[in-house]
Amino acid sequence: MNEHVLYADVARQRTTIVRGEGVYVYDEQGNRYLDAIGGVGVVNVGHGVKEIVDAIASQALTLAFSYASLVDNKPRQSLAAKLNSWVPRGMGQSKTLFCSGGAEANEAALKLAYQYHWERGHPTKRKVVGRWQSYHGNTTGALSMSGRTAWRRMHDSLLLEFPHIPPPYCYRCPWGLSRPQCGLLCAEELRRVICQEGAENIAGFIAEPIIGTSMSAVVPPVEYYPAIRKICDEFDILFIADEVMSGIGRTGLKWGIDHWRVIPDIITTAKGIAGGYASLGATILAEKVWRTIADGTQKPMHSTTFGGNPLSCAAGLAVLQYIEEHDLVLRAAEMGDKLSAKLHEALDDLPWVGDIRGRGLFIGIEIVADKKNKTPFPKEWDVTHRVEDIAFQNGLLILGGVSGPVDDAVGDHFELLPPYTIEDQHLDFIVSTIRQSLETALSGI
Ligand SMILES: Cc1ncc(COP(=O)(O)O)c(C=O)c1O
């Protein structure tokens, strides 16, 4: 703790972490913690990887900074080309605008989606539809697209009036229905909102392909994104896949949306792109989007000082190369399957484990008071953070959900997002510590 830092919770004591190595981080006293959340879905190749540190050091000596809006640099060119080889082929030849993080990447997506329509003579197409219980970042535009009410409420009057639709959350279907009789109302809701608002006013739809910190790894049904894509096409609306958390191989495929084989118009990504070795975000435009701008004003109306700087791009390039060379996307899939199986084996008999979900190494656990009725624990019991704190005391970092999965208000959940380099013995420690933490927190209450 330091008296001059403005902490997320001013009154809460925080442990100071001083070192990271592989899947572990260490505090000032030398206590070791297994980083089962990869920082916060960021650290994918592990802490302290020498090849990456060497690449960054070499770039820092060669050229740490140049202003990417004025002059070009090699790492930016190479990273943009690398991302072009990563995105779904259906996006055509992609072009990337770099920035420093997820919210910035989504701000850029919002403005460039608007510009796409503006260039085509549709200046009223300006709203982006989001989903309730989604998170796209804490800047004003990104928060306006987000549906995390707990973080919107205080600043509501400052936000843009963008519509939101309910999440595709089959475990607690907002309509109380189940598949396939539900008629996929969660996707159809997009059509309803577009008709209500007028398609002439809608620029895009944004979604986290697999829902992150608001709901902990909720995976929409298999028909969901194909249906969303169809509706977007029908109404001339861009589909923005927010891959800030689900991208760069975390879910066992390169992008979360790849699980549905659906082609987005814009992909935003951040967190894992530089593996925690630099602040980096990216807004990747499909050919149809950037060509419209290139054939029009020719000037994407968005830029930042640090976007595309050589040092961050060199870090991103080194991380993507490392992931490729070590086949880590496949490893995320394999270790994710193993971790999910072990979690089921170790936790399914506990009365409080309602749902274990996710893809690859993007896994969520929803905790309930009563498994049969899915009744949540009372909010004031703060079960999520009790479990998180006990796991921490036992040397394991897990990520407590930000808001409740039930109406964004109550309910408990947490996420696991370990580095892709995790090994079998680490998985055993994770599942046994989670079981022990749940038992300590919940037995007898
Ligand atoms: C899906 C998603 N989008 C956007 C963001 C915002 O990213 P950043 O915190 O880098 O601005 C986050 C952060 O958690 C996220 O999970």
Side-chain angles (χ1 to χ4, degrees):
M1 291 286 282
N2 178 288
E3 60 186 311
H4 299 297
V5 175
L6 183 62
Y7 292 102
D9 182 341
V10 176
R12 190 174 158 187
Q13 289 282 329
R14 305 239 156 221
T15 302
T16 302
I17 297 295
V18 293
R19 189 167 74 82
E21 188 182 336
V23 299
Y24 291 105
V25 291
Y26 298 81
D27 69 17
E28 288 171 298
Q29 285 71 42
N31 297 313
R32 186 175 85 163
Y33 304 87
L34 199 158
D35 186 4
I37 55 173
V40 53
V42 169
V43 179
N44 43 19
V45 299
H47 295 274
V49 177
K50 190 167 179 319
E51 290 98 305
I52 291 164
V53 176
D54 287 347
I56 295 169
S58 158
Q59 184 61 47
L61 279 171
T62 310
L63 176 69
F65 187 81
S66 59
Y67 182 35
S69 291
L70 191 65
V71 288
D72 207 356
N73 67 72
K74 294 277 183 200
R76 171 169 74 162
Q77 293 169 5
S78 305
L79 182 58
K82 178 65 74 189
L83 285 170
N84 181 57
S85 75
W86 273 53
V87 296
R89 283 300 85 223
M91 287 177 76
Q93 293 298 313
S94 67
K95 283 192 191 286
T96 296
L97 181 71
F98 292 103
C99 59
S100 302
E104 271 189 21
N106 285 325
E107 290 287 337
L110 163 62
K111 289 172 73 181
L112 295 173
Y114 175 71
Q115 185 171 354
Y116 165 79
H117 293 295
W118 188 93
E119 300 274 6
R120 293 160 69 238
H122 304 303
T124 61
K125 282 176 90 67
R126 51 173 283 277
K127 296 186 186 183
V128 172
V129 182
R131 285 192 305 220
W132 293 118
Q133 292 167 270
S134 69
Y135 183 59
H136 305 295
N138 246 333
T139 51
T140 305
L143 195 58
S144 301
M145 297 189 284
S146 303
R148 179 182 290 172
T149 52
W151 286 15
R152 287 171 55 98
R153 202 161 289 137
M154 177 184 285
H155 296 110
D156 217 29
S157 64
L158 304 180
L159 300 181
L160 299 161
E161 286 178 4
F162 286 171
H164 295 82
I165 62 172
Y169 182 29
C170 298
Y171 180 67
R172 295 181 189 277
C173 173
W175 292 270
L177 298 170
S178 47
R179 288 171 60 219
Q181 291 77 17
C182 64
L184 213 59
L185 286 183
C186 49
E188 280 306 305
E189 194 61 11
L190 178 60
R191 181 193 305 281
R192 196 188 62 73
V193 164
I194 292 168
C195 294
Q196 201 170 39
E197 298 274 336
E200 70 280 13
N201 297 312
I202 308 290
F205 172 67
I206 188 166
E208 302 163 74
I210 293 177
I211 306 171
T213 44
S214 310
M215 307 188 82
S216 288
V218 164
V219 182
V222 62
E223 314 90 341
Y224 181 77
Y225 288 112
I228 290 287
R229 179 71 265 183
K230 225 166 138 218
I231 296 167
C232 288
D233 289 342
E234 191 180 329
F235 294 101
D236 187 20
I237 282 164
L238 295 183
F239 174 35
I240 305 165
D242 176 347
E243 301 269 9
V244 167
M245 197 166 226
S246 56
I248 317 292
R250 170 133 314 268
T251 67
L253 293 177
K254 284 183 174 138
W255 307 101
I257 196 66
D258 289 346
H259 292 276
W260 287 264
R261 295 170 187 237
V262 160
I263 311 297
D265 300 304
I266 300 178
I267 289 178
T268 58
T269 195
K271 292 194 187 283
I273 187 173
Y277 290 84
S279 304
L280 182 62
T283 305
I284 310 168
L285 305 185
E287 191 163 342
K288 90 169 185 194
V289 180
W290 66 258
R291 264 200 201 282
T292 300
I293 297 171
D295 293 344
T297 58
Q298 301 191 335
K299 292 192 192 321
M301 288 305 293
H302 188 77
S303 72
T304 54
T305 297
F306 291 107
N309 76 76
L311 195 59
S312 299
C313 290
L317 189 62
V319 167
L320 294 191
Q321 279 168 348
Y322 190 91
I323 290 174
E324 286 178 350
E325 280 159 18
H326 295 81
D327 228 348
L328 291 184
V329 178
L330 181 62
R331 189 174 170 82
E334 288 170 356
M335 296 309 278
D337 284 349
K338 275 192 192 175
L339 180 53
S340 291
K342 280 177 186 283
L343 286 166
H344 278 292
E345 213 176 285
L347 306 180
D348 275 353
D349 65 312
L350 292 179
W352 322 288
V353 176
D355 196 24
I356 299 173
R357 55 198 178 219
R359 288 280 182 281
L361 287 170
F362 188 165
I363 296 177
I365 298 180
E366 184 160 337
I367 310 168
V368 290
D370 162 20
K371 219 161 171 163
K372 185 160 171 280
N373 299 315
K374 305 179 184 173
T375 317
F377 281 106
K379 190 179 173 63
E380 56 280 14
W381 290 16
D382 200 12
V383 164
T384 297
H385 296 109
R386 277 162 75 165
V387 176
E388 190 185 57
D389 287 347
I390 294 167
F392 186 77
Q393 285 153 22
N394 288 312
L396 179 69
L397 287 169
I398 61 172
L399 185 65
V402 174
S403 38
V406 186
D407 301 330
D408 216 2
V410 277
D412 296 281
H413 56 114
F414 62 87
E415 259 172 312
L416 300 171
L417 306 146
Y420 313 165
T421 47
I422 195 134
E423 290 169 14
D424 287 336
Q425 75 270 20
H426 303 133
L427 303 186
D428 291 334
F429 177 76
I430 292 172
V431 295
S432 61
T433 309
I434 288 174
R435 184 173 173 110
Q436 188 194 345
S437 304
L438 286 167
E439 284 176 332
T440 309
L442 299 171
S443 286
I445 69 171

